Amino acid sequence: MARASSELESRFTDLALVSANFGFLLPYEPLLAFYGASAEVRVSSAPGDAVVAARQFGEILAVTIGHLAGVRSPAADQSSRLRVLTRAGLMHAPVLAAFEDLHGSADGAPDRAEAVAPILVQRCFELAVWFFRLQTGDREPMSFVHTSPSDLRVLAERLAPLDGLLPRLRREFDLRMGPTSLLASERERLIVGARDAAGEPLPEASIAAEVQRRLTKAGWDVLGPGADADRDRSLGCVLVEPRLSGGSRADLLLLVGGQVVGIVECKRDGADLATAMDQAGRLAAAVTEASPWPVWRSPLPFRYVSDGRRLLFYDANDPEQQARLISGFHRPTALARWQREAEADHAAPTYRARQAAHLPALEEDSAAGQLHPRQLRAVRAVEQALVAGDRRVLVQMATGTGRISAEIFEAYRQLTYARATRILFVVDLRTMVHQLRSRFGKFNTPDAGRSLADVYQVEELTSAGPTASASIVVTTVQRLQAMLAGTPEPEDGAARVSAYETAEQVSQSDTAPLEVTYCEALPPDSFDLVVVDDCHHSLYGRGRALLEYFDAPVVGFSATPAAPVFGFFNANLVSEYSFEQAVADGLVVDYSVYSTRFEPSGRVALVPMDGRIDADAKRPRRTQYEQLDEDLAYVGPDSDPRIIGSERLAAVATAFRDALPALFPERAAQAELVVPKTVVFARNDAHADEVVRHLREVFGAGDTFCQKITMRSDHPDQLLRDFRTTPQFRIAVVVDIMSGPTDMRAVECVLFLREVRSAAYYELLLAQGAQRIEPAELRAVTPGAFAKTQFVVIDAVETSRHHQRRLVNVTDASGQAGRRALERLLNRMVDDGLNADEAAELGVRLARLIPVLSEADGAAVRRLAGFSLEQLVSRLLDAAGEEARDTRALLAEVPALRPVLLGIYDGPAATDAGELIQPSAAAENVRRRLAAFTRHAGPFTATQLWWIENIAETAAAAEAPFDPKDLDSVPFSGRGGTDGFLRVFGDDAAITLLSELGEALA
């Protein structure tokens, strides 16, 4: 075997020695050398065979690249491979074009083969050079060698012995190309290397001219040789190869206001720019001594090194200086501003230095009281990373946990203390632009109570660029793309649809990475900081150049960071706040997932999904982020997604209707169970129309009960408002409108009638639905509801089975089944201890109690356990994750917790640890009568319900009719007392309401 292997290696070596155009690929993949040489040698003698070999060259190279990047295609065809690699950011335009030429070639027409074979061999060579540069970083020019007939005969002789071994070679190749796992940071280096390798090296004679062209584009006045006398004619002038005393030389000197402030050195393409920057530093010191012109500082602080493609910048004023790659030269006005800032604050001369010197501790910032500890942790982590010099910083915060508030507070601190000149916020949707601007207006600064928008100008980015007075600029990805990459902006309707939904609905054929050009209205130095708010991961893949264009640190906030996001930020995840932690803290509710079982009779049953935690889902979150997200493997709707067609819609709707009492058992005793607010996902408008018709028929309801809301609807914004605020509108059938920042707090059910193929999108939709709502707000739109304790997911198309989730699924957390399950787990906790899966299940079941937890119940848990119910849930959930705390033994040591937790489930408040009392019969009677009153006398607003419920509670506590004089006592006095009550209901209506409420409660 060893001899055969050695003989094979010898044959490949012989092939490589005579193949000038493909032999250099042998060390990286022998089959590439074989297929490249096979295509070349058959161009004239057998052009059809040459075409086939060229196509196989492309396929082998695509598989090899995917293997190196840890990217697997969901299908074994070349089209899928290319789309996946492109979405991963590995296929830039010229490379993708060469691959597509090979893949699209016809191999069945001899006359066409004769014409295209030479072209395809050239494409193979271009891809071979690109792959070689990707592997080696070598930027030396490489030209195709036109092989003589005699050399082609020798090449054919070397190929002949290998032809017979091809099946074996392919089998060995398939074994080598097995599944691989790649760290996100390693994939990021590969993506950057693929981009750099895609460009042709510049001739050395052209580099200086290209550098000067880029300087001119940035607003510099490039003076000709010997024109130094004109150095004052513009704010920023460039001296080309200036004459310096003592024999010193420089390629280019930068002057601002007549003073020399910087230096530019030109190097050959592919040169080591870091080494060149060290040389530029020594030259920056020598130039200041030899310069006949005024010098601002010695040594020169602003230093640039370029090979015509890449541009490396170094600012000697920065603390712990670090050179960084930038997309274009800074404008003279930017360097002039940096000069002024450095002279005004010698101790902290740069933006980064001011962050380290002037950002106060969060405990000392009076505005920090507007944030919760979880938000402050994120802000602290971001600032520590920026002070350390990190240029890309990632924060993970689950939807509904105050991500936007944290972003706004960070912007306030950067503007106020670090004196940032301008900050850019990038969002996914136009509606998010308006929401952000509104939130800036609601953030109160310590400055006489003025809002952030009153102190700093906030504006939306336009095609004219930001105004000079703007401190905060908000834009969509689409607007950036239009300005920097020249793509058309979407129409108003399309701008409302999230990129997550666009990826679901639109074919992903056009996924080549964007290429940006210098924009005079939006130069690279326009912002000191870029904040990205939970944008679709395509921004970090196909659209990464939009963020790399700006010379500013990028801080990304994401609820579900997929692998492309994690890679772009170099795995620099500085703060996490997961969905599990949010459930434990009571900020969101967990969700229960049910699938549909279609029986032969045509009946449909709802079946709880298996709740066991998959082994993959137990991996640490950071490891999951590192793995390639299935969004990348999903290459677009080449086949239609699964949907529930018209023949099954009525059965699914009937199953949903009939299951409601079991899904919400605490409401089943009501005379008429109000259908929870429900969102139904349909495939398109036509499908949505069918769904609406069937739901209305099954529920026997009118037009208002169930309505379609899509971008094609008349007045979709008004329909959304009606769905959120009116009790009559119970079911919304949607296609795309819920994919943005839509308020889904009152929604308690979602029904998937079409497949959602993106894992990140699926998680986003469920996280939106899991957001909490105040009980009074919920009762205002869902009469008879007490509190939102879960979010029910009904999956009729098996979407949920394709998307792993970390948190165990609990589908019977209410009613007697839920109580029996909770009691079983609590008994095991005391008697035998819990395994990890059981601990997670117990954590989720207890998390469902957080929204209805009374102060007395909470105090009882703290006295026994030593920590709150929220902390108990957090520890139980961590026991199923990577942090793996051994809380099970601790719980076993506190058996008195069992009756307290069961008592919380049953409803009454605890007055002492382990000692529970039932509410009085009068109080229970008041509760029932109040529910009936609000159901029949309403609807009421959330504010009105607060007054009604507190009046009822006061009457129940006193076991006597409510005395209107109590309106001026606690808790009513906090809301204006009698005057506040009259203001909310109106004078006449208030008196009538008190009378009717008193009669109802009597």
Side-chain angles (χ1 to χ4, degrees):
M1 181 65 70
R3 179 178 177 182
S5 177
S6 175
E7 184 177 347
L8 181 62
E9 289 179 7
S10 176
R11 289 177 178 177
F12 266 114
T13 300
D14 290 343
L15 171 66
L17 290 174
V18 298
S19 175
N21 292 317
F22 299 100
F24 57 85
L25 294 175
L26 178 62
Y28 310 105
E29 177 47 57
L31 274 180
L32 289 175
F34 172 81
Y35 280 122
S38 295
E40 180 183 8
V41 82
R42 293 177 170 90
V43 166
S44 299
S45 60
D49 292 344
V51 169
V52 172
R55 293 189 66 173
Q56 291 171 326
F57 178 94
E59 291 171 4
I60 292 294
L61 182 55
V63 172
T64 303
I65 295 296
H67 176 75
L68 290 174
V71 176
R72 286 180 295 164
S73 170
D77 64 285
Q78 184 74 343
S79 295
S80 296
R81 293 189 197 104
L82 294 181
R83 284 199 295 269
V84 170
L85 292 173
T86 302
R87 296 187 76 185
L90 291 161
M91 297 280 114
H92 286 260
V95 175
L96 181 60
F99 269 110
E100 289 176 339
D101 283 348
L102 296 181
H103 177 60
S105 59
D107 53 5
D111 54 339
R112 176 165 170 76
E114 188 173 342
V116 302
I119 299 173
L120 298 185
V121 171
Q122 181 66 37
R123 294 292 179 269
C124 288
F125 176 75
E126 293 167 4
L127 290 175
V129 172
W130 169 74
F131 182 58
F132 176 75
R133 288 173 178 161
L134 172 60
Q135 293 283 61
T136 64
D138 191 326
R139 295 289 301 172
E140 290 296 328
M142 298 177 68
S143 301
F144 184 81
V145 177
H146 293 280
T147 311
S148 67
S150 59
D151 289 339
L152 285 175
R153 284 193 296 272
V154 174
L155 185 58
E157 293 172 1
R158 298 290 189 273
L159 284 167
L162 294 170
D163 277 329
L165 298 173
L166 191 54
R168 170 192 165 185
L169 296 175
R170 291 299 297 257
R171 287 194 301 271
E172 292 176 351
F173 174 80
D174 291 340
L175 290 174
R176 291 198 303 273
M177 297 296 116
T180 57
S181 177
L182 197 67
L183 293 177
S185 55
E186 294 174 355
R187 187 181 296 115
E188 175 69 12
R189 285 193 291 271
L190 193 65
I191 290 170
V192 173
R195 178 191 61 195
D196 290 344
E200 278 300 309
L202 286 173
E204 196 161 347
S206 304
I207 292 174
E210 174 62 17
V211 170
Q212 292 176 35
R213 186 194 67 80
R214 295 176 70 178
L215 281 164
T216 302
K217 198 74 175 173
W220 291 89
D221 188 354
V222 180
L223 306 179
D228 53 280
D230 297 328
R231 66 184 182 277
D232 293 320
R233 76 182 186 187
S234 303
L235 173 65
C237 291
V238 181
L239 301 183
V240 179
E241 297 182 357
R243 296 188 299 272
L244 302 172
S245 61
S248 298
R249 59 155 298 278
D251 290 336
L252 302 165
L253 287 184
L254 304 180
L255 285 76
V256 174
Q259 289 183 307
V260 182
V261 298
I263 187 171
V264 182
E265 284 295 290
C266 302
K267 299 297 178 182
R268 66 174 178 81
D269 199 345
D272 184 345
L273 296 189
T275 300
M277 183 59 77
D278 292 338
Q279 297 170 353
R282 293 190 289 272
L283 188 58
V287 164
T288 55
E289 299 174 0
S291 172
W293 311 287
V295 174
W296 176 51
R297 284 189 174 177
S298 178
L300 298 177
F302 305 129
R303 306 164 195 172
Y304 301 83
V305 174
S306 177
D307 62 2
R309 293 182 307 105
R310 298 171 299 159
L311 179 59
L312 191 66
F313 172 67
Y314 180 94
D315 185 354
N317 290 323
D318 248 343
E320 302 175 13
Q321 303 92 342
Q322 296 174 346
R324 61 181 184 264
L325 286 169
I326 57 178
S327 67
F329 285 98
H330 304 104
R331 295 168 297 167
T333 52
L335 296 192
R337 172 167 60 86
W338 293 350
Q339 283 182 273
R340 292 192 300 272
E341 292 172 349
E343 290 169 353
D345 190 343
H346 294 286
T350 65
Y351 171 54
R352 181 185 164 202
R354 292 193 296 274
Q355 291 179 33
H358 301 319
L359 282 174
L362 290 171
E363 297 76 11
E364 301 170 4
D365 192 333
S366 57
Q370 301 180 56
L371 271 69
H372 295 287
R374 62 185 178 278
Q375 296 164 317
L376 294 176
R377 285 198 299 271
V379 170
R380 181 179 291 109
V382 167
E383 292 179 354
Q384 290 172 345
L386 293 177
V387 168
D390 293 353
R391 303 290 292 181
R392 297 181 183 179
V393 181
L394 178 61
V395 174
Q396 184 274 326
M397 291 186 73
T399 300
T401 59
R403 183 188 70 246
I404 294 176
S405 295
E407 295 169 4
I408 292 174
F409 181 62
E410 182 58 42
Y412 156 75
R413 285 173 58 86
Q414 294 294 332
L415 291 167
T416 303
Y417 302 114
R419 299 195 298 277
T421 301
R422 188 182 293 130
I423 298 175
L424 176 68
F425 277 76
V426 183
V427 298
D428 199 17
L429 284 173
R430 183 74 182 276
T431 51
M432 195 61 203
V433 173
H434 303 316
Q435 187 179 120
L436 254 181
R437 294 188 67 180
S438 173
R439 294 288 295 274
F440 281 120
K442 294 176 181 177
F443 182 89
N444 293 321
T445 70
D447 184 10
R450 295 192 296 167
S451 74
L452 190 65
D454 291 333
V455 179
Y456 300 102
Q457 182 170 319
V458 181
E459 67 181 30
E460 182 178 353
L461 182 64
T462 69
S463 57
T467 62
S469 56
S471 297
I472 298 173
V473 178
V474 187
T475 186
T476 61
V477 175
Q478 294 90 340
R479 171 52 61 92
L480 272 187
Q481 194 169 311
M483 295 184 68
L484 301 180
T487 59
E489 286 196 69
E491 299 176 0
D492 288 344
R496 286 289 310 273
V497 180
S498 167
Y500 288 100
E501 185 61 38
T502 302
E504 293 278 322
Q505 300 283 351
V506 180
S507 176
Q508 297 298 307
S509 57
D510 181 21
T511 54
L514 293 172
E515 295 186 8
V516 302
T517 57
Y518 188 92
C519 177
E520 294 185 16
L522 196 65
D525 54 37
S526 296
F527 306 100
D528 285 333
L529 181 68
V530 175
V531 178
V532 183
D533 176 67
D534 203 25
C535 288
H536 185 259
H537 64 67
S538 61
L539 173 62
Y540 305 101
R542 178 176 184 252
R544 61 188 294 125
L546 300 176
L547 299 177
E548 293 171 334
Y549 174 81
F550 297 107
D551 180 30
V554 179
V555 178
F557 285 79
S558 176
T560 53
V565 182
F566 206 59
F568 177 86
F569 287 99
N570 297 311
N572 190 26
L573 180 65
V574 299
S575 179
E576 289 182 84
Y577 191 72
S578 68
F579 180 82
E580 298 91 329
Q581 292 169 309
V583 171
D585 290 345
L587 298 176
V588 298
V589 298
D590 185 32
Y591 41 89
S592 304
V593 184
Y594 294 81
S595 61
T596 51
R597 185 177 66 224
F598 296 91
E599 300 178 348
S601 64
R603 180 179 173 274
V604 173
L606 300 189
V607 182
M609 278 237 179
D610 180 11
R612 295 189 63 80
I613 301 177
D614 187 272
D616 288 339
K618 292 180 182 180
R619 294 172 300 166
R621 276 186 293 272
R622 181 174 289 269
T623 301
Q624 294 186 59
Y625 298 151
E626 291 275 10
Q627 302 303 315
L628 193 64
D629 188 85
E630 70 179 83
D631 288 357
L632 199 56
Y634 166 60
V635 295
D638 287 345
S639 59
D640 290 334
R642 289 189 300 273
I643 67 168
I644 297 299
S646 57
E647 69 282 359
R648 286 182 165 182
L649 283 175
V652 172
T654 301
F656 172 52
R657 180 199 64 193
D658 295 345
L660 284 175
L663 297 175
F664 297 90
E666 69 279 7
R667 306 178 197 176
Q670 301 172 10
E672 180 183 354
L673 189 151
V674 176
V675 177
K677 290 277 186 181
T678 301
V679 172
V680 182
F681 277 86
R683 172 72 175 99
N684 50 36
D685 276 76
H687 188 217
D689 289 333
E690 281 194 89
V691 172
V692 168
R693 178 172 62 82
H694 282 286
L695 285 169
R696 287 173 179 172
E697 290 176 358
V698 167
F699 281 92
D703 293 352
T704 304
F705 173 83
C706 176
Q707 301 179 64
K708 178 182 77 172
I709 312 178
T710 73
M711 291 314 304
R712 295 185 179 181
S713 302
D714 293 332
H715 312 296
D717 290 333
Q718 182 59 50
L719 285 171
L720 277 173
R721 280 192 293 271
D722 292 344
F723 181 58
R724 289 196 305 265
T725 59
T726 62
Q728 295 79 19
F729 190 171
R730 305 310 307 166
I731 301 178
V733 180
V734 305
V735 174
D736 46 28
I737 199 104
M738 288 293 180
S739 57
T742 304
D743 183 357
M744 292 177 65
R745 291 178 302 147
V747 175
E748 296 182 271
C749 293
V750 63
L751 175 56
F752 287 110
L753 298 181
R754 59 103 162 164
E755 181 183 19
V756 175
R757 299 197 245 199
S758 161
Y761 185 28
Y762 172 81
E763 289 292 336
L764 174 65
L765 292 171
L766 268 58
Q768 283 184 314
Q771 293 179 67
R772 282 194 61 191
I773 183 172
E774 290 300 321
E777 289 185 71
L778 179 63
R779 288 191 289 274
V781 295
T782 303
F786 176 66
K788 181 176 179 178
T789 59
Q790 63 169 329
F791 181 55
V792 175
V793 179
I794 300 172
D795 180 7
V797 288
E798 297 191 333
T799 277
S800 304
R801 293 195 183 278
H802 304 314
H803 307 312
Q804 298 290 346
R805 64 187 296 256
R806 293 176 53 78
L807 197 56
V808 68
N809 179 44
V810 173
T811 55
D812 59 352
S814 302
Q816 289 302 310
R819 192 188 195 284
R820 287 193 297 271
L822 177 61
E823 188 171 16
R824 171 182 58 81
L825 291 169
L826 291 173
N827 288 337
R828 290 216 6 100
M829 175 183 77
V830 174
D831 299 336
D832 306 313
L834 301 173
N835 62 35
D837 286 356
E838 290 171 328
E841 181 183 348
L842 177 60
V844 174
R845 292 184 182 278
L846 293 178
R848 300 277 174 88
L849 304 181
I850 293 174
V852 296
L853 186 69
S854 69
E855 291 186 10
D857 291 330
V861 173
R862 284 191 295 272
R863 283 196 296 271
L864 286 170
F867 41 77
S868 68
L869 180 60
E870 290 87 346
Q871 291 171 308
L872 172 60
V873 171
S874 180
R875 294 185 182 197
L876 287 168
L877 294 177
D878 282 344
E882 73 275 10
E883 295 168 352
R885 298 171 185 164
D886 187 13
T887 59
R888 289 160 283 183
L890 170 65
L891 294 174
E893 294 171 2
V894 192
L897 262 179
R898 177 183 172 279
V900 172
L901 295 173
L902 282 173
I904 296 172
Y905 181 95
D906 292 332
T911 57
D912 197 3
E915 183 179 345
L916 307 174
I917 61 172
Q918 297 290 334
S920 67
E924 183 63 19
N925 190 36
V926 166
R927 188 193 66 77
R928 286 198 304 269
R929 294 186 177 186
L930 175 63
F933 174 79
T934 55
R935 188 163 55 249
H936 294 104
F940 298 103
T941 67
T943 302
Q944 290 172 332
L945 275 175
W946 183 90
W947 286 93
I948 293 170
E949 290 171 355
N950 278 278
I951 288 171
E953 289 178 11
T954 302
E959 299 190 9
F962 180 77
D963 186 348
K965 293 180 180 178
D966 289 338
L967 286 173
D968 292 315
S969 303
V970 175
F972 309 104
S973 57
R975 296 204 177 191
T978 301
D979 292 337
F981 179 72
L982 296 175
R983 187 165 54 250
V984 169
F985 291 93
D987 293 353
D988 295 335
I991 296 172
T992 302
L993 180 123
L994 273 182
S995 174
E996 294 176 351
L997 180 59
E999 292 175 3
L1001 297 179

